[in-house]
Amino acid sequence: MAILPDFSAATFIPGAPINNPYLPLIPGHVLSYKGDEIDPETADITTERNDVLTTSAAFEVRGVSTTVIRDTVYEEDVILEDTFDWYAQDSAGNVWYFGEIVVNYEYDDDGNFIGVNHEGQWSADDPGNQPGWVMKATPEFGPAYYQEFAPGIAEDESIVAETGLSFNTPIGGFDDVIKTIDSSALSTGVEFKYYAPGVGGIAEVALAPDGTITSEVDIYRRGVVGQADPDDSDDVAPALTALEESKTIENLGEIRDLATADFAGTGTTKEVTVVGGSTDSYDALGAYFIDEATGAFGEARILVADLSDAPSGSSVAVDVPDGQSLCLFLVRGTDQIGVDLEQYTDGGLHLKNLLTGAPANLADPYAPTVVDDAGNILPIQPLSALGADDGGNLLNPAGSMQAIGLSSKVPGTGGIEIVGFEDRLNTSPDYDGDFNDAIVAVSEAPIAAEVLDQLIREAGGAQPEEIDRALPSETGEDGEDGEDGVQDDDPTDNPTGESVKEAANDHHASSELDNWMAGDTLEFADGALHTDGNSDDVGSRKEFFFADGDLGDLSRFAQFYDDHVDVPGWLFDGDAILKGPAPLGTDGFFLA
């Protein structure tokens, strides 16, 4: 029989840290877990992961100021559960559990979102409920104790089973580990949980009544988010041409994040233009407004419901009210969440503080929840252009930076904000941190055609698969190397394989190539001018004009083949920048 800890005998100091060695809860820290759920009837295995973020928010329950922990659960990056848990440590070192807000997202067999439920939600403020110990001050043996006591809703209990263990996890081995056995009168089976000093929970194993394993979970990542940057003057904006597929942007803490001031309006219209992007996910682009005086979030809308089908150069005009700032966000995996975002192109999305029930605000230290006009919760996580490194609103539950400001060498881009999005949380095992999944530009007026053309070319360096689609095949019908003798690219160069976006954009790949070449004149060693980039006279091929897709400053070059040249050679080295015509006596070409 489990004991119910005596809450009346406990004392709490407002603002006291939770520093129990086996459950330290430090604001800004994230622990990420991954494991397999095994269906006891079908033996089907589902891989799930969850992020546990200790926020800096406080919430009063039963007269005690508790620390708010946000726990989000995903399957293939689709959110399944979102909870706010409330913990506080007493003066003796025991960590108490005071309840939780629970949102369980429900989907049908086809993956369509059908609603939410709040099963398991409870509060120690409600009549008949009592807080319990989630971790004792010292891992001593003794009787089982309640971790939560809400009769008929939540009745978890725990007992210390072993101490002094050594335990290996994907992030390393731990000593002095304790093992608890957790159970509940409301369910069958038990859970073995393992805690390491200085970390907290590191593993869980769930067992059915017959002893078979129903789930195994391990910690696979520790991180810190929302750290204030005391001096933005050293922040750098990576060059748009520097983006490479699956190449992580380094030193994110030094990268210029995006602030509301970057998108402030004066009662005018801003143009949001799709510049490029490279991703294997169907993503949508949305927007909302932030009141510059109060930080309140206004109604949100979807600007582009499917970026994979949006041609580079397409734009949406957004009227920004005076005193408001425009904020962009990405919704990833729109084909997986089962929600038709087309219905929200005129608005109808609202950002809500789930903990307080109030509209979301820039000052909230955690991500908002998205609801529709009727207040129904939707499985939309807005991956925002507001970064996390300056301690601003963390517009996703794990608090990672999702967009950065980019720079361009194209003349005429002054005053244009270029934004590169990363469409996976940095806690996801599939995170690559290349920030080229969606590239958009925000300007006060439509971007001049010649400037936009050059921007699209720069962004082309971030989407090699789109360039590949535009080029003639390098193999014959039988799959062998073509007559030109050019070897096929190594398939490992694009580890994601053919992306969803590649298939969606095939219909305009050839016209995209024509746009890139428009206005360019190619002059060859024979003195002839060619404007189509595909001259039979000298045997040139379109792909010769695209090295890594970077034509903006010609900092990279493809090998050039010419009927007049016996062997292929490099026109310029990798660091050269062409600033004028090449001598006519030189085998090669230049852009005039």
Side-chain angles (χ1 to χ4, degrees), residues 149-165:
F149 189 78
I153 300 175
E155 299 181 21
D156 287 3
E157 56 186 73
S158 182
I159 187 171
V160 175
E162 295 183 68
T163 62
L165 300 175

Side-chain angles (χ1 to χ4, degrees), residues 324-378:
Q324 303 280 310
S325 286
L326 173 69
C327 189
L328 302 176
F329 64 88
L330 209 63
V331 181
R332 79 161 309 275
T334 58
D335 59 320
Q336 295 178 298
I337 61 177
V339 176
D340 180 13
L341 295 183
E342 290 280 2
Q343 62 185 306
Y344 301 109
T345 54
D346 293 325
L349 297 176
H350 305 272
L351 305 175
K352 179 181 179 181
N353 183 325
L354 189 63
L355 189 64
T356 66
N361 191 284
L362 187 62
D364 293 340
Y366 41 77
T369 299
V370 178
V371 302
D372 62 16
D373 283 333
N376 299 309
I377 295 175
L378 301 174

Side-chain angles (χ1 to χ4, degrees), residues 560-569 587-588:
F560 175 69
Y561 295 83
D562 190 306
D563 285 348
H564 302 292
V565 180
D566 294 332
V567 293
D587 288 318

